[in-house]
């Protein structure tokens, strides 16, 4: 018996592996627009051989086009140059220019950026929308931040919870960051970096009014690190007035973002709630003949699996109060309203989404029923 079980388990594992590697061939990342804004899919923290990454900048452009991104930034460490013997790199803007050239025939925004790199407490910080990376290469971290501000940069604190720089795996907001925030030299913070989500970084974001960011910080290949494993890269959705570099910059300074990694969505309620609301489309809302039970078909048009819990007084006939609508798929609920109503006030708590540490948003839809 044990033997049979064992071989069955082996079969199951192989089948699972197979189906994963099959079904995850770089599907484009998609999220709906919200009222008044276009939703830009961005990854503003990436590396190439021009710092400690392993690929030429053109590959980053191709990866971004493959996944349907709207904007990327190649944020090379200006100080840390492990490939310097092979790639002397006298001009720290070179990576940006190569990407710009590659992207010129495409609808992909290339944001000029760089990573200001120090040990703690300064840590790592990305300055984007810069005009000249070479001028950021100065001894003093304070001077580097002042120069970034002079260039009109949006600056965000990278992986503040990184255990190599903070052994507890929790961010430490030091006098250095407090001073930068006060001077208007630090504007955002990564709450998601690679696969790591830090609730403590989210708390710092909310308390200091820093823009919530999520990035891949990719050094190898997006395919190998994310897509082959059945994931999408982490992204920052930015709600911009239009798709342009200037609008993206304005929206980042205004804090209009949601950070996402697969089914995890983190953002302020003003943007996270309309995003989830627009991500779920009502395909059908009809009473089953001669009953007070509504057949409600919901379609998730986003790239995130959405996990919900029922918050209505009405209960379900066919489903657990907790249910998932997979990305790009539909889910049918049978809702017991006890008597016929003209409109269903659907109310669900989004369990994979956070507006603050341990706090989920509740989303509402008014659905006409026939
Ligand atoms: Zn870093
Ligand atoms: Zn980095």
């Amino acid at each position: 018996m044990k033997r049979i079980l064992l071989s069955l388990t082996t079969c199951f594992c192989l089948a699972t592996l197979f189906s994963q590697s099959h079904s995850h061939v770089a599907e484009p990342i998609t999220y709906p627009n919200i009222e008044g804004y276009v939703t830009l899919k961005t990854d503003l923290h990436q590396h190439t051989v021009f710092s400690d990454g392993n690929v030429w900048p053109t590959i980053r452009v191709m990866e971004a086009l493959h996944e349907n991104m709207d904007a990327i930034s190649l944020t090379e460490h200006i100080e840390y140059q492990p490939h310097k013997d092979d790639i002397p790199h006298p001009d720290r803007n070179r990576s940006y220019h190569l990407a710009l050239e590659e992207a010129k025939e495409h609808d992909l925004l290339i944001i000029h950026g760089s990573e200001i790199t120090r040990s703690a407490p300064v840590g790592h910080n990305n300055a984007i929308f810069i005009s000249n990376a070479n001028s950021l290469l100065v001894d003093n971290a304070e001077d580097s931040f002042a120069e970034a501000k002079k260039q009109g940069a949006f600056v965000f604190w990278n992986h503040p919870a990184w255990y190599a720089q903070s052994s507890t795996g929790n961010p430490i907001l030091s006098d250095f960051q407090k001073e930068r925030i006060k001077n208007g030299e630090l504007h955002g913070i990564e709450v998601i970096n690679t696969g790591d989500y830090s609730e403590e970084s989210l708390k710092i974001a909310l308390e200091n009014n820093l823009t919530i960011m999520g990035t891949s910080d990719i050094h190898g290949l997006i395919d190998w690190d994310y897509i082959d494993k059945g994931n999408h890269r982490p992204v920052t959705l930015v709600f911009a007035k239009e798709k342009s570099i200037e609008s993206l910059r304005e929206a980042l300074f205004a804090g209009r973002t949601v950070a996402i990694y697969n089914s995890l969505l983190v953002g302020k309620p003003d943007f996270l709630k309309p995003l989830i609301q627009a991500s779920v489309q009502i395909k059908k809302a009809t009473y089953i003949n001669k009953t007070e039970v509504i057949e409600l078909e919901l379609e998730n048009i986003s790239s995130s699996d959405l996990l919900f819990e029922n918050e209505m007084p009405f209960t379900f006939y066919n489903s657990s109060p907790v249910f998932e609508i997979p990305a790009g798929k539909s889910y049918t609920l049978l809702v017991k309203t006890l008597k016929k109503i003209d409109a269903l006030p659907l109310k669900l708590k989004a369990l994979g989404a956070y507006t603050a540490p341990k706090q989920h948003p509740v989303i509402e839809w008014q659905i006409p029923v026939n």
Side-chain angles (χ1 to χ4, degrees):
M1 188 61 191
K2 217 171 185 182
R3 222 187 202 158
I4 296 168
L5 259 182
L6 202 72
S7 59
L8 272 177
T9 317
T10 315
C11 285
F12 177 73
C13 289
L14 284 174
T16 310
L17 276 177
F18 186 74
S19 71
Q20 276 207 348
S21 55
H22 238 239
S23 60
H24 294 285
V25 265
E27 289 160 30
I29 300 178
T30 54
Y31 289 92
N33 294 334
I34 64 172
E35 211 192 315
Y37 300 111
V38 292
T39 300
L40 301 182
K41 305 166 295 284
T42 75
D43 182 4
L44 303 171
H45 186 176
Q46 304 189 49
H47 296 276
T48 77
V49 288
F50 285 90
S51 58
D52 57 346
N54 302 319
V55 306
W56 198 252
T58 51
I59 296 292
R60 294 286 177 243
V61 173
M62 293 175 207
E63 286 174 329
L65 293 170
H66 213 52
E67 273 198 306
N68 193 32
M69 302 294 290
D70 293 301
I72 60 167
S73 186
L74 305 185
T75 48
E76 314 297 354
H77 300 281
I78 21 177
E79 307 84 354
Y80 181 51
Q81 295 279 313
H83 302 310
K84 206 161 66 184
D85 289 344
D86 297 310
I87 302 168
H89 199 195
D91 176 10
R92 297 290 199 275
N93 301 306
R94 185 67 184 140
S95 169
Y96 164 69
H97 286 298
L98 286 166
L100 202 59
E101 175 68 20
E102 181 68 22
K104 74 176 181 212
E105 310 271 291
H106 301 280
D107 191 21
L108 174 69
L109 304 176
I110 307 293
I111 311 303
H112 198 174
S114 217
E115 184 164 0
I116 301 168
T117 314
R118 298 287 191 286
S119 47
V122 176
H124 295 191
N125 298 268
N126 276 351
I128 57 174
F129 308 102
I130 56 173
S131 50
N132 183 4
N134 298 320
S135 322
L136 300 175
L137 187 56
V138 289
D139 288 340
N140 221 322
E142 283 85 349
D143 294 342
S144 204
F145 275 76
E147 172 61 26
K149 186 183 179 183
K150 218 170 88 187
Q151 295 187 16
F154 173 85
V155 181
F156 59 97
W157 188 9
N158 299 339
H159 45 73
W162 188 26
Y163 55 61
Q165 291 197 326
S166 170
S167 66
T168 57
N170 279 341
I172 300 162
L173 187 74
S174 73
D175 288 343
F176 180 83
Q177 282 88 26
K178 288 178 191 162
E179 193 70 20
R180 301 284 82 67
I181 294 168
K182 208 176 71 193
N183 292 353
E185 295 170 346
L186 184 61
H187 317 99
I189 183 170
E190 287 180 346
V191 302
I192 299 173
N193 174 286
T194 319
D196 306 322
Y197 164 54
S198 165
E199 296 184 34
E200 297 77 12
S201 299
L202 176 59
K203 187 164 178 279
I204 291 177
L206 297 173
E207 285 173 356
N208 296 276
N209 197 26
L210 298 175
T211 299
I212 293 166
M213 307 291 291
T215 71
S216 72
D217 198 358
I218 187 74
H219 289 71
L221 289 171
I222 289 285
D223 256 0
W224 290 0
D225 286 8
Y226 293 104
I227 295 164
D228 283 359
K229 293 171 181 158
N231 303 316
H232 278 302
R233 73 172 87 197
V235 295
T236 305
L237 297 187
V238 184
F239 306 99
K241 287 174 185 156
E242 56 175 39
K243 182 171 177 178
S244 71
I245 290 179
E246 201 33 60
S247 278
L248 176 65
R249 183 174 174 277
E250 183 274 331
L252 282 169
F253 272 106
R256 297 198 301 269
T257 62
V258 167
I260 297 185
Y261 184 47
N262 293 328
S263 57
L264 170 68
L265 301 95
V266 185
K268 292 178 184 154
D270 283 357
F271 312 108
L272 188 50
K273 285 169 82 165
L275 176 72
I276 296 172
Q277 201 195 34
S279 295
V280 176
Q281 309 254 303
I282 316 302
K283 303 303 284 181
K284 185 180 185 183
T286 319
Y287 274 105
I288 296 173
N289 204 11
K290 293 179 183 158
T291 74
E292 288 76 47
V293 179
I294 297 172
E295 187 179 339
L296 180 66
E297 190 186 340
L298 305 174
E299 186 186 6
N300 174 5
I301 60 164
S302 83
S303 289
S304 293
D305 296 337
L306 295 174
L307 188 65
F308 290 114
E309 182 176 24
N310 185 15
E311 286 280 305
M312 292 182 289
F314 308 129
T315 58
F316 301 149
Y317 185 84
N318 65 327
S319 170
S320 160
V322 174
F323 62 96
E324 186 190 73
I325 319 177
K329 297 271 174 13
S330 291
Y331 188 86
T332 299
L333 283 172
L334 300 182
V335 186
K336 301 186 286 186
T337 59
L338 305 184
K339 57 178 202 268
K340 296 250 166 101
I341 52 175
D342 296 333
L344 174 70
L346 177 65
K347 198 172 166 188
L348 304 172
K349 187 185 274 183
L351 299 179
Y354 293 92
T355 52
K358 311 200 193 307
Q359 209 164 301
H360 304 296
V362 174
I363 322 292
E364 293 177 58
W365 296 260
Q366 274 299 325
I367 305 170
V369 185
N370 46 46

